[in-house]
Amino acid sequence: MSTQSVFGAQWGDEGKGKIIDLLAREADVVVRYQGGANAGHTVVVGTEKYVLHLLPSGILHEGKINMIGNGVAVDPVVLLQEIDELAARGHRIGPDRLRLSAAAHAILEVHKRIDHASERWRGDGRIGTTGRGIGPAYADKAFRTGLRMADLIDSKRLRQRLTAFLAEKNALLERVHGAEPFDLEEVHAVCSRVGARLAPFVTDTGRELRRLWREGKGILFEGAQGVMLDIDHGTYPFVTSSSTGVGGIAPGAGFPPNAIERAYGVAKAYCTRVGEGPFPSELNGREADRIREAGNEYGATTGRPRRCGWLDAVALRYALELNGATGLVITNLDVLTGFEEILVCTGYRVDGRTLQDYPAERADLGDLKPVYERHRGWHEDITATRSFEELPEAARDYVEWVESLLGFPIVMVSVGPERDQVIPRPDRVPALT
Ligand code: IMP
């Protein structure tokens, strides 16, 4: 069986959930390796819609092992809520199906309060975070003050770690942010309660994962957010706090990097972004509204309207190159139906020059002006199309044109939110060497 990974190749919300859900059918193990409850994967199964924040998408399939790796920042309260909600809808989640890394860091209420408070300090430079405590939790991980799942399930250690942690955080909250401090006993009670419930799931996921891989099991790594939000390679500082691409797998799951055989990037046929930060091909006005409504572009986690724009082929090529993508999945092609002309950003104008490559070396990416090329649109409804040949000629040409602009094969095209609204292109999937 193969080892595959799926990553977001734009600013998140590319429709990874559905693609992961499709590929999960062939996998035995589905693994999250970074991010936290800032992610929101929407999966539609028949008439049922599921929004998952922390649970891997494979959780909706019977008989799969789902792992939350050490690189994920886990809000234990949210995780338990998700487990309970799925249970209420008939999906029993036991330790046979869900494994949680002992080394995954916990997001506590403290982190969320600091997340909100820090945004206020940033003023015009605010990131527009999801408010889920992601940045402060990863900061604590790097600062070595964080609490991990192993701490939550060990009552003696929990009190010790928590006492030191809260003393510092309360000083920060009160003296720097002018915010309410937390009561040690209350936080301890919450941590003990969630720790006790999560204890059966907690393990060394890396060791289990490597064993399953040695046994020949199919493994699927599920990325959250997107490459342009990567802490190192994204539009810093308007990024999230983890390594969102394939490079995050080895440290975030405890898995050998050379064992990852396939890496699929997922991108919409246009672009969206939530939160602040550079977005060269952003649209305003009627065209943006049209994409937003047709694509239902509202955040799965926060409900915020997403910023919308044309496909940015420069940023997308950068994301695919950076991750050594085996191929690209284009989603939401149906949203472009009805446009007379479809634009794609193929360069940036800046300082009197035109750039063909993504200028990651620039401190300020906010002044890049898009250079567009145009393609004719189509008017036919494509949502029931299941083979590439059945697509209108203009849609086929568009996909092939984007493929040539990027230099990466487009291995699937999705034409609607349902699991089966996907057009496979098996001839584009490179054989394993
Ligand atoms: P944080 O991850 O909550 O710290 O937010 C940092 C930035 O990443 C903000 O611009 C968020 O809107 C964005 N972000 C975080 N998670 C997602 C996601 O799953 N989809 C899209 N944007 C996200």
Side-chain angles (χ1 to χ4, degrees):
M1 285 296 259
S2 61
T3 304
Q4 315 199 70
S5 79
V6 174
F7 63 94
Q10 295 166 319
W11 282 277
D13 310 316
E14 298 91 350
K16 295 179 289 294
K18 189 176 75 163
I19 304 306
I20 289 160
D21 192 50
L22 265 177
L23 294 177
R25 291 174 196 191
E26 302 157 23
D28 302 296
V29 192
V30 184
V31 189
R32 278 275 310 262
Y33 57 92
Q34 49 72 229
N38 48 350
H41 289 182
T42 310
V43 180
V44 180
V45 186
T47 52
E48 297 279 306
K49 188 171 159 185
Y50 299 86
V51 180
L52 305 174
H53 297 287
L54 273 168
L55 286 171
S57 301
I59 208 79
L60 293 168
H61 298 265
E62 289 303 319
K64 313 273 178 205
I65 298 173
N66 292 268
M67 287 189 180
I68 299 180
N70 58 279
V72 179
V74 177
D75 185 327
V77 176
V78 172
L79 179 58
L80 285 167
Q81 265 166 11
E82 272 185 33
I83 292 174
D84 291 344
E85 271 170 39
L86 283 192
R89 291 170 75 177
H91 301 270
R92 191 197 60 81
I93 317 288
D96 52 329
R97 298 186 56 207
L98 177 68
R99 315 297 283 145
L100 172 60
S101 171
H105 278 251
I107 298 191
L108 307 179
E109 278 305 308
V110 180
H111 293 118
K112 294 184 220 172
R113 197 168 290 174
I114 295 173
D115 197 357
H116 287 291
S118 310
E119 279 284 78
R120 283 201 295 275
W121 282 93
R122 292 187 186 117
D124 284 348
R126 87 196 140 83
I127 298 166
T129 71
T130 59
R132 299 294 193 263
I134 302 295
Y138 278 113
D140 276 341
K141 174 178 176 173
F143 206 49
R144 289 142 299 169
T145 40
L147 277 84
R148 312 200 293 178
M149 292 302 131
D151 299 316
L152 292 197
I153 64 174
D154 177 331
S155 57
K156 203 167 137 228
R157 235 181 110 81
L158 174 63
R159 181 166 287 277
Q160 238 175 37
R161 298 278 300 163
L162 206 51
T163 305
F165 171 83
L166 265 195
E168 190 189 353
K169 295 301 178 223
N170 278 343
L172 175 74
L173 280 167
E174 285 185 293
R175 294 190 212 150
V176 177
H177 297 305
E180 282 291 300
F182 283 84
D183 178 67
L184 173 64
E185 293 312 319
E186 279 173 28
V187 180
H188 185 265
V190 173
C191 289
S192 306
R193 183 174 52 79
V194 294
R197 275 201 67 196
L198 288 174
F201 300 97
V202 175
T203 184
D204 178 351
T205 46
R207 186 176 57 216
E208 286 190 15
L209 182 61
R210 295 189 299 276
R211 178 178 54 76
L212 290 162
W213 168 63
R214 278 196 305 273
E215 287 171 4
K217 298 283 193 286
I219 317 239
L220 177 65
F221 292 100
E222 167 174 358
Q225 289 87 42
V227 174
M228 302 311 288
L229 289 173
D230 184 278
I231 179 84
D232 287 283
H233 303 289
T235 51
Y236 192 90
F238 302 99
V239 293
T240 190
S241 302
S242 61
S243 300
T244 54
V246 181
I249 294 175
F255 194 73
N258 59 353
I260 302 156
E261 295 166 298
R262 288 194 167 122
Y264 295 116
V266 183
K268 283 177 188 157
Y270 48 92
C271 283
T272 62
R273 175 165 200 164
V274 275
E276 307 301 319
F279 182 179
S281 61
E282 182 168 14
L283 289 167
N284 288 300
R286 280 186 35 219
E287 279 171 320
D289 294 343
R290 185 169 163 185
I291 292 178
R292 189 174 304 109
E293 292 316 312
N296 190 25
E297 295 296 355
Y298 295 89
T301 299
T302 58
R304 291 182 285 181
R306 296 179 183 140
R307 298 157 66 191
C308 298
W310 294 118
L311 185 71
D312 183 338
V314 186
L316 183 51
R317 195 172 61 240
Y318 163 74
L320 297 174
E321 280 176 2
L322 191 62
N323 286 280
T326 317
L328 172 66
V329 178
I330 289 281
T331 59
N332 293 22
L333 186 67
D334 54 303
V335 172
L336 296 184
T337 298
F339 277 95
E340 280 311 315
E341 274 193 320
I342 298 167
L343 277 61
V344 172
C345 169
T346 56
Y348 303 130
R349 286 290 295 168
V350 67
D351 302 335
R353 289 183 304 141
T354 302
L355 309 178
Q356 307 295 337
D357 288 317
Y358 185 77
E361 71 280 11
R362 287 180 72 85
D364 183 5
L365 296 158
D367 55 354
L368 303 176
K369 298 272 172 292
V371 176
Y372 287 120
E373 290 184 41
R374 292 158 191 276
H375 195 279
R376 76 194 153 103
W378 60 90
H379 294 275
E380 300 89 331
D381 181 357
I382 60 170
T383 54
T385 310
R386 295 292 176 273
S387 81
F388 193 68
E389 292 65 37
E390 282 170 48
L391 281 174
E393 193 191 347
R396 265 182 294 152
D397 283 355
Y398 172 76
V399 171
E400 284 171 355
W401 177 55
V402 170
E403 203 168 39
S404 69
L405 287 173
L406 298 171
F408 285 85
I410 295 178
V411 297
M412 267 185 245
V413 179
S414 123
V415 290
E418 298 284 338
R419 272 193 200 188
D420 69 338
Q421 285 178 297
V422 170
I423 300 175
R425 299 183 79 208
D427 56 312
R428 290 296 202 276
V429 179
L432 291 179
T433 47

PDB file of all heavy atoms in Angstrom, residues 11-13 16 38-40 115 127-135 224-225 229 238-241 273-276 301 304, ligand 1:
ATOM      1  N   TRP A  11      -4.357  29.323   0.393  1.00  0.00           N
ATOM      2  CA  TRP A  11      -4.439  29.895   1.741  1.00  0.00           C
ATOM      3  C   TRP A  11      -5.419  29.124   2.622  1.00  0.00           C
ATOM      4  O   TRP A  11      -6.073  29.692   3.484  1.00  0.00           O
ATOM      5  CB  TRP A  11      -4.860  31.360   1.650  1.00  0.00           C
ATOM      6  CG  TRP A  11      -3.763  32.297   1.253  1.00  0.00           C
ATOM      7  CD1 TRP A  11      -2.829  32.843   2.080  1.00  0.00           C
ATOM      8  CD2 TRP A  11      -3.475  32.793  -0.053  1.00  0.00           C
ATOM      9  NE1 TRP A  11      -1.970  33.644   1.352  1.00  0.00           N
ATOM     10  CE2 TRP A  11      -2.344  33.645   0.051  1.00  0.00           C
ATOM     11  CE3 TRP A  11      -4.064  32.606  -1.311  1.00  0.00           C
ATOM     12  CZ2 TRP A  11      -1.790  34.307  -1.039  1.00  0.00           C
ATOM     13  CZ3 TRP A  11      -3.514  33.259  -2.398  1.00  0.00           C
ATOM     14  CH2 TRP A  11      -2.389  34.095  -2.260  1.00  0.00           C
ATOM     15  N   GLY A  12      -5.517  27.831   2.407  1.00  0.00           N
ATOM     16  CA  GLY A  12      -6.476  27.034   3.174  1.00  0.00           C
ATOM     17  C   GLY A  12      -7.839  27.014   2.513  1.00  0.00           C
ATOM     18  O   GLY A  12      -8.069  27.724   1.520  1.00  0.00           O
ATOM     19  N   ASP A  13      -8.715  26.156   3.019  1.00  0.00           N
ATOM     20  CA  ASP A  13     -10.091  26.046   2.519  1.00  0.00           C
ATOM     21  C   ASP A  13     -10.166  25.646   1.050  1.00  0.00           C
ATOM     22  O   ASP A  13     -11.088  26.050   0.337  1.00  0.00           O
ATOM     23  CB  ASP A  13     -10.864  27.374   2.717  1.00  0.00           C
ATOM     24  CG  ASP A  13     -10.741  27.903   4.116  1.00  0.00           C
ATOM     25  OD1 ASP A  13     -10.866  27.093   5.035  1.00  0.00           O
ATOM     26  OD2 ASP A  13     -10.513  29.111   4.287  1.00  0.00           O
ATOM     27  N   LYS A  16      -9.837  20.365   0.738  1.00  0.00           N
ATOM     28  CA  LYS A  16      -9.008  19.181   1.020  1.00  0.00           C
ATOM     29  C   LYS A  16      -9.824  18.068   1.649  1.00  0.00           C
ATOM     30  O   LYS A  16      -9.602  16.904   1.367  1.00  0.00           O
ATOM     31  CB  LYS A  16      -7.883  19.539   2.010  1.00  0.00           C
ATOM     32  CG  LYS A  16      -6.881  20.516   1.498  1.00  0.00           C
ATOM     33  CD  LYS A  16      -5.830  20.808   2.553  1.00  0.00           C
ATOM     34  CE  LYS A  16      -6.329  21.624   3.736  1.00  0.00           C
ATOM     35  NZ  LYS A  16      -6.730  23.007   3.430  1.00  0.00           N
ATOM     36  N   ASN A  38      -8.159  25.393  14.345  1.00  0.00           N
ATOM     37  CA  ASN A  38      -8.333  26.499  13.398  1.00  0.00           C
ATOM     38  C   ASN A  38      -8.810  25.960  12.058  1.00  0.00           C
ATOM     39  O   ASN A  38      -9.390  26.671  11.246  1.00  0.00           O
ATOM     40  CB  ASN A  38      -7.028  27.303  13.231  1.00  0.00           C
ATOM     41  CG  ASN A  38      -5.788  26.430  13.002  1.00  0.00           C
ATOM     42  OD1 ASN A  38      -5.841  25.223  13.136  1.00  0.00           O
ATOM     43  ND2 ASN A  38      -4.689  27.066  12.666  1.00  0.00           N
ATOM     44  N   ALA A  39      -8.522  24.697  11.790  1.00  0.00           N
ATOM     45  CA  ALA A  39      -8.948  24.074  10.541  1.00  0.00           C
ATOM     46  C   ALA A  39     -10.431  23.742  10.611  1.00  0.00           C
ATOM     47  O   ALA A  39     -10.980  23.575  11.691  1.00  0.00           O
ATOM     48  CB  ALA A  39      -8.156  22.791  10.316  1.00  0.00           C
ATOM     49  N   GLY A  40     -11.045  23.653   9.475  1.00  0.00           N
ATOM     50  CA  GLY A  40     -12.436  23.231   9.432  1.00  0.00           C
ATOM     51  C   GLY A  40     -12.647  22.478   8.141  1.00  0.00           C
ATOM     52  O   GLY A  40     -12.688  23.066   7.082  1.00  0.00           O
ATOM     53  N   ASP A 115      -4.448  34.846  22.579  1.00  0.00           N
ATOM     54  CA  ASP A 115      -4.604  35.010  21.122  1.00  0.00           C
ATOM     55  C   ASP A 115      -5.419  36.294  20.840  1.00  0.00           C
ATOM     56  O   ASP A 115      -5.013  37.162  20.064  1.00  0.00           O
ATOM     57  CB  ASP A 115      -5.335  33.776  20.573  1.00  0.00           C
ATOM     58  CG  ASP A 115      -5.204  33.600  19.056  1.00  0.00           C
ATOM     59  OD1 ASP A 115      -4.588  34.466  18.405  1.00  0.00           O
ATOM     60  OD2 ASP A 115      -5.721  32.600  18.527  1.00  0.00           O
ATOM     61  N   ILE A 127      -3.362  39.899  12.490  1.00  0.00           N
ATOM     62  CA  ILE A 127      -3.289  38.774  11.552  1.00  0.00           C
ATOM     63  C   ILE A 127      -4.683  38.321  11.129  1.00  0.00           C
ATOM     64  O   ILE A 127      -4.871  37.783  10.045  1.00  0.00           O
ATOM     65  CB  ILE A 127      -2.523  37.601  12.224  1.00  0.00           C
ATOM     66  CG1 ILE A 127      -1.084  38.043  12.536  1.00  0.00           C
ATOM     67  CG2 ILE A 127      -2.510  36.360  11.357  1.00  0.00           C
ATOM     68  CD1 ILE A 127      -0.346  37.111  13.483  1.00  0.00           C
ATOM     69  N   GLY A 128      -5.662  38.585  11.996  1.00  0.00           N
ATOM     70  CA  GLY A 128      -7.000  38.041  11.724  1.00  0.00           C
ATOM     71  C   GLY A 128      -7.012  36.553  12.029  1.00  0.00           C
ATOM     72  O   GLY A 128      -7.478  35.755  11.226  1.00  0.00           O
ATOM     73  N   THR A 129      -6.476  36.179  13.193  1.00  0.00           N
ATOM     74  CA  THR A 129      -6.411  34.748  13.533  1.00  0.00           C
ATOM     75  C   THR A 129      -7.816  34.201  13.756  1.00  0.00           C
ATOM     76  O   THR A 129      -8.779  34.964  13.885  1.00  0.00           O
ATOM     77  CB  THR A 129      -5.600  34.503  14.840  1.00  0.00           C
ATOM     78  OG1 THR A 129      -6.366  34.980  15.946  1.00  0.00           O
ATOM     79  CG2 THR A 129      -4.243  35.178  14.797  1.00  0.00           C
ATOM     80  N   THR A 130      -7.885  32.890  13.847  1.00  0.00           N
ATOM     81  CA  THR A 130      -9.190  32.270  14.106  1.00  0.00           C
ATOM     82  C   THR A 130      -9.570  32.381  15.585  1.00  0.00           C
ATOM     83  O   THR A 130     -10.662  31.984  15.970  1.00  0.00           O
ATOM     84  CB  THR A 130      -9.161  30.773  13.713  1.00  0.00           C
ATOM     85  OG1 THR A 130      -8.136  30.132  14.482  1.00  0.00           O
ATOM     86  CG2 THR A 130      -8.884  30.583  12.230  1.00  0.00           C
ATOM     87  N   GLY A 131      -8.642  32.861  16.403  1.00  0.00           N
ATOM     88  CA  GLY A 131      -8.941  33.018  17.833  1.00  0.00           C
ATOM     89  C   GLY A 131      -8.947  31.696  18.582  1.00  0.00           C
ATOM     90  O   GLY A 131      -9.430  31.602  19.710  1.00  0.00           O
ATOM     91  N   ARG A 132      -8.401  30.672  17.971  1.00  0.00           N
ATOM     92  CA  ARG A 132      -8.435  29.327  18.583  1.00  0.00           C
ATOM     93  C   ARG A 132      -7.211  29.045  19.455  1.00  0.00           C
ATOM     94  O   ARG A 132      -6.980  27.910  19.852  1.00  0.00           O
ATOM     95  CB  ARG A 132      -8.543  28.247  17.501  1.00  0.00           C
ATOM     96  CG  ARG A 132      -9.789  28.333  16.653  1.00  0.00           C
ATOM     97  CD  ARG A 132     -11.046  28.055  17.499  1.00  0.00           C
ATOM     98  NE  ARG A 132     -12.210  27.839  16.664  1.00  0.00           N
ATOM     99  CZ  ARG A 132     -13.109  28.759  16.354  1.00  0.00           C
ATOM    100  NH1 ARG A 132     -12.969  29.985  16.817  1.00  0.00           N
ATOM    101  NH2 ARG A 132     -14.147  28.475  15.597  1.00  0.00           N
ATOM    102  N   GLY A 133      -6.372  30.046  19.666  1.00  0.00           N
ATOM    103  CA  GLY A 133      -5.224  29.875  20.564  1.00  0.00           C
ATOM    104  C   GLY A 133      -4.020  29.209  19.901  1.00  0.00           C
ATOM    105  O   GLY A 133      -3.080  28.772  20.588  1.00  0.00           O
ATOM    106  N   ILE A 134      -4.043  29.137  18.589  1.00  0.00           N
ATOM    107  CA  ILE A 134      -3.010  28.387  17.854  1.00  0.00           C
ATOM    108  C   ILE A 134      -1.618  28.989  18.067  1.00  0.00           C
ATOM    109  O   ILE A 134      -0.684  28.284  18.470  1.00  0.00           O
ATOM    110  CB  ILE A 134      -3.359  28.372  16.338  1.00  0.00           C
ATOM    111  CG1 ILE A 134      -4.739  27.756  16.100  1.00  0.00           C
ATOM    112  CG2 ILE A 134      -2.257  27.693  15.530  1.00  0.00           C
ATOM    113  CD1 ILE A 134      -4.868  26.305  16.449  1.00  0.00           C
ATOM    114  N   GLY A 135      -1.472  30.282  17.778  1.00  0.00           N
ATOM    115  CA  GLY A 135      -0.158  30.923  17.883  1.00  0.00           C
ATOM    116  C   GLY A 135       0.419  30.805  19.294  1.00  0.00           C
ATOM    117  O   GLY A 135       1.545  30.329  19.481  1.00  0.00           O
ATOM    118  N   ALA A 224      -3.573  20.511   7.024  1.00  0.00           N
ATOM    119  CA  ALA A 224      -4.587  21.530   7.313  1.00  0.00           C
ATOM    120  C   ALA A 224      -4.024  22.888   6.872  1.00  0.00           C
ATOM    121  O   ALA A 224      -2.816  23.029   6.685  1.00  0.00           O
ATOM    122  CB  ALA A 224      -4.914  21.550   8.793  1.00  0.00           C
ATOM    123  N   GLN A 225      -4.892  23.864   6.703  1.00  0.00           N
ATOM    124  CA  GLN A 225      -4.511  25.183   6.166  1.00  0.00           C
ATOM    125  C   GLN A 225      -3.843  25.016   4.789  1.00  0.00           C
ATOM    126  O   GLN A 225      -4.138  24.047   4.101  1.00  0.00           O
ATOM    127  CB  GLN A 225      -3.601  25.946   7.121  1.00  0.00           C
ATOM    128  CG  GLN A 225      -4.298  26.447   8.376  1.00  0.00           C
ATOM    129  CD  GLN A 225      -4.333  25.432   9.497  1.00  0.00           C
ATOM    130  OE1 GLN A 225      -3.366  24.764   9.752  1.00  0.00           O
ATOM    131  NE2 GLN A 225      -5.460  25.315  10.161  1.00  0.00           N
ATOM    132  N   LEU A 229       0.015  29.808   4.010  1.00  0.00           N
ATOM    133  CA  LEU A 229      -0.112  30.143   5.438  1.00  0.00           C
ATOM    134  C   LEU A 229       0.972  29.452   6.259  1.00  0.00           C
ATOM    135  O   LEU A 229       0.931  29.476   7.494  1.00  0.00           O
ATOM    136  CB  LEU A 229      -1.490  29.720   5.964  1.00  0.00           C
ATOM    137  CG  LEU A 229      -2.690  30.534   5.486  1.00  0.00           C
ATOM    138  CD1 LEU A 229      -4.002  29.884   5.946  1.00  0.00           C
ATOM    139  CD2 LEU A 229      -2.638  31.970   5.987  1.00  0.00           C
ATOM    140  N   PHE A 238       1.555  37.070   8.181  1.00  0.00           N
ATOM    141  CA  PHE A 238       0.134  36.725   8.072  1.00  0.00           C
ATOM    142  C   PHE A 238      -0.004  35.242   7.740  1.00  0.00           C
ATOM    143  O   PHE A 238      -0.421  34.869   6.629  1.00  0.00           O
ATOM    144  CB  PHE A 238      -0.536  37.612   7.013  1.00  0.00           C
ATOM    145  CG  PHE A 238      -0.388  39.073   7.323  1.00  0.00           C
ATOM    146  CD1 PHE A 238       0.596  39.834   6.712  1.00  0.00           C
ATOM    147  CD2 PHE A 238      -1.211  39.675   8.255  1.00  0.00           C
ATOM    148  CE1 PHE A 238       0.753  41.173   7.019  1.00  0.00           C
ATOM    149  CE2 PHE A 238      -1.062  41.017   8.572  1.00  0.00           C
ATOM    150  CZ  PHE A 238      -0.079  41.769   7.957  1.00  0.00           C
ATOM    151  N   VAL A 239       0.380  34.429   8.678  1.00  0.00           N
ATOM    152  CA  VAL A 239       0.429  32.984   8.478  1.00  0.00           C
ATOM    153  C   VAL A 239      -0.090  32.304   9.740  1.00  0.00           C
ATOM    154  O   VAL A 239      -0.317  32.956  10.760  1.00  0.00           O
ATOM    155  CB  VAL A 239       1.881  32.515   8.221  1.00  0.00           C
ATOM    156  CG1 VAL A 239       2.399  33.042   6.892  1.00  0.00           C
ATOM    157  CG2 VAL A 239       2.822  32.953   9.355  1.00  0.00           C
ATOM    158  N   THR A 240      -0.221  30.999   9.684  1.00  0.00           N
ATOM    159  CA  THR A 240      -0.508  30.258  10.896  1.00  0.00           C
ATOM    160  C   THR A 240       0.822  29.818  11.503  1.00  0.00           C
ATOM    161  O   THR A 240       1.888  30.192  10.994  1.00  0.00           O
ATOM    162  CB  THR A 240      -1.485  29.082  10.621  1.00  0.00           C
ATOM    163  OG1 THR A 240      -1.903  28.540  11.882  1.00  0.00           O
ATOM    164  CG2 THR A 240      -0.861  28.002   9.750  1.00  0.00           C
ATOM    165  N   SER A 241       0.810  29.032  12.562  1.00  0.00           N
ATOM    166  CA  SER A 241       2.058  28.809  13.308  1.00  0.00           C
ATOM    167  C   SER A 241       2.664  27.430  13.105  1.00  0.00           C
ATOM    168  O   SER A 241       3.453  26.986  13.917  1.00  0.00           O
ATOM    169  CB  SER A 241       1.803  29.045  14.796  1.00  0.00           C
ATOM    170  OG  SER A 241       1.319  30.344  14.984  1.00  0.00           O
ATOM    171  N   ARG A 273      -9.092  33.674   0.687  1.00  0.00           N
ATOM    172  CA  ARG A 273      -8.258  33.851   1.874  1.00  0.00           C
ATOM    173  C   ARG A 273      -9.156  34.370   2.995  1.00  0.00           C
ATOM    174  O   ARG A 273     -10.008  35.228   2.732  1.00  0.00           O
ATOM    175  CB  ARG A 273      -7.145  34.854   1.537  1.00  0.00           C
ATOM    176  CG  ARG A 273      -6.293  35.220   2.709  1.00  0.00           C
ATOM    177  CD  ARG A 273      -4.987  35.903   2.416  1.00  0.00           C
ATOM    178  NE  ARG A 273      -4.225  35.662   3.637  1.00  0.00           N
ATOM    179  CZ  ARG A 273      -2.939  35.799   3.802  1.00  0.00           C
ATOM    180  NH1 ARG A 273      -2.202  36.216   2.810  1.00  0.00           N
ATOM    181  NH2 ARG A 273      -2.364  35.535   4.949  1.00  0.00           N
ATOM    182  N   VAL A 274      -8.954  33.893   4.209  1.00  0.00           N
ATOM    183  CA  VAL A 274      -9.613  34.522   5.360  1.00  0.00           C
ATOM    184  C   VAL A 274      -8.547  35.139   6.242  1.00  0.00           C
ATOM    185  O   VAL A 274      -7.434  34.649   6.298  1.00  0.00           O
ATOM    186  CB  VAL A 274     -10.483  33.568   6.212  1.00  0.00           C
ATOM    187  CG1 VAL A 274     -11.870  33.417   5.665  1.00  0.00           C
ATOM    188  CG2 VAL A 274      -9.828  32.213   6.375  1.00  0.00           C
ATOM    189  N   GLY A 275      -8.912  36.190   6.931  1.00  0.00           N
ATOM    190  CA  GLY A 275      -7.914  36.883   7.744  1.00  0.00           C
ATOM    191  C   GLY A 275      -7.172  37.892   6.884  1.00  0.00           C
ATOM    192  O   GLY A 275      -7.454  38.072   5.693  1.00  0.00           O
ATOM    193  N   GLU A 276      -6.207  38.534   7.533  1.00  0.00           N
ATOM    194  CA  GLU A 276      -5.488  39.622   6.857  1.00  0.00           C
ATOM    195  C   GLU A 276      -4.327  39.055   6.038  1.00  0.00           C
ATOM    196  O   GLU A 276      -4.048  37.871   6.085  1.00  0.00           O
ATOM    197  CB  GLU A 276      -4.947  40.604   7.897  1.00  0.00           C
ATOM    198  CG  GLU A 276      -5.989  41.122   8.881  1.00  0.00           C
ATOM    199  CD  GLU A 276      -7.136  41.830   8.201  1.00  0.00           C
ATOM    200  OE1 GLU A 276      -6.882  42.592   7.243  1.00  0.00           O
ATOM    201  OE2 GLU A 276      -8.295  41.621   8.606  1.00  0.00           O
ATOM    202  N   THR A 301     -14.852  27.378  10.127  1.00  0.00           N
ATOM    203  CA  THR A 301     -14.565  27.472  11.554  1.00  0.00           C
ATOM    204  C   THR A 301     -15.154  28.735  12.169  1.00  0.00           C
ATOM    205  O   THR A 301     -15.740  28.703  13.238  1.00  0.00           O
ATOM    206  CB  THR A 301     -13.033  27.434  11.786  1.00  0.00           C
ATOM    207  OG1 THR A 301     -12.546  26.195  11.282  1.00  0.00           O
ATOM    208  CG2 THR A 301     -12.677  27.546  13.255  1.00  0.00           C
ATOM    209  N   ARG A 304     -16.620  33.498   8.859  1.00  0.00           N
ATOM    210  CA  ARG A 304     -16.261  34.780   8.230  1.00  0.00           C
ATOM    211  C   ARG A 304     -16.385  34.682   6.709  1.00  0.00           C
ATOM    212  O   ARG A 304     -16.012  33.665   6.124  1.00  0.00           O
ATOM    213  CB  ARG A 304     -14.797  35.137   8.544  1.00  0.00           C
ATOM    214  CG  ARG A 304     -14.547  35.496   9.982  1.00  0.00           C
ATOM    215  CD  ARG A 304     -13.097  35.879  10.207  1.00  0.00           C
ATOM    216  NE  ARG A 304     -12.199  34.732  10.224  1.00  0.00           N
ATOM    217  CZ  ARG A 304     -10.885  34.808  10.432  1.00  0.00           C
ATOM    218  NH1 ARG A 304     -10.320  35.988  10.618  1.00  0.00           N
ATOM    219  NH2 ARG A 304     -10.136  33.740  10.446  1.00  0.00           N
TER     220      ARG A 304
HETATM  221  P1  IMP B   1      -4.450  31.117  13.308  1.00  0.00           P
HETATM  222  O1  IMP B   1      -4.040  29.846  12.643  1.00  0.00           O
HETATM  223  O2  IMP B   1      -5.766  31.031  14.022  1.00  0.00           O
HETATM  224  O3  IMP B   1      -3.367  31.677  14.170  1.00  0.00           O
HETATM  225  O4  IMP B   1      -4.676  32.210  12.158  1.00  0.00           O
HETATM  226  C1  IMP B   1      -3.610  32.688  11.364  1.00  0.00           C
HETATM  227  C2  IMP B   1      -4.085  32.930   9.944  1.00  0.00           C
HETATM  228  O5  IMP B   1      -4.353  31.683   9.312  1.00  0.00           O
HETATM  229  C3  IMP B   1      -5.362  33.743   9.836  1.00  0.00           C
HETATM  230  O6  IMP B   1      -5.304  34.526   8.656  1.00  0.00           O
HETATM  231  C4  IMP B   1      -6.437  32.689   9.682  1.00  0.00           C
HETATM  232  O7  IMP B   1      -7.579  33.174   9.020  1.00  0.00           O
HETATM  233  C5  IMP B   1      -5.708  31.663   8.834  1.00  0.00           C
HETATM  234  N1  IMP B   1      -6.207  30.312   8.995  1.00  0.00           N
HETATM  235  C6  IMP B   1      -6.005  29.469  10.022  1.00  0.00           C
HETATM  236  N2  IMP B   1      -6.607  28.295   9.796  1.00  0.00           N
HETATM  237  C7  IMP B   1      -7.190  28.376   8.605  1.00  0.00           C
HETATM  238  C8  IMP B   1      -7.947  27.448   7.807  1.00  0.00           C
HETATM  239  O8  IMP B   1      -8.172  26.296   8.153  1.00  0.00           O
HETATM  240  N3  IMP B   1      -8.381  27.932   6.603  1.00  0.00           N
HETATM  241  C9  IMP B   1      -8.100  29.166   6.172  1.00  0.00           C
HETATM  242  N4  IMP B   1      -7.393  30.056   6.872  1.00  0.00           N
HETATM  243  C10 IMP B   1      -6.940  29.657   8.082  1.00  0.00           C
END
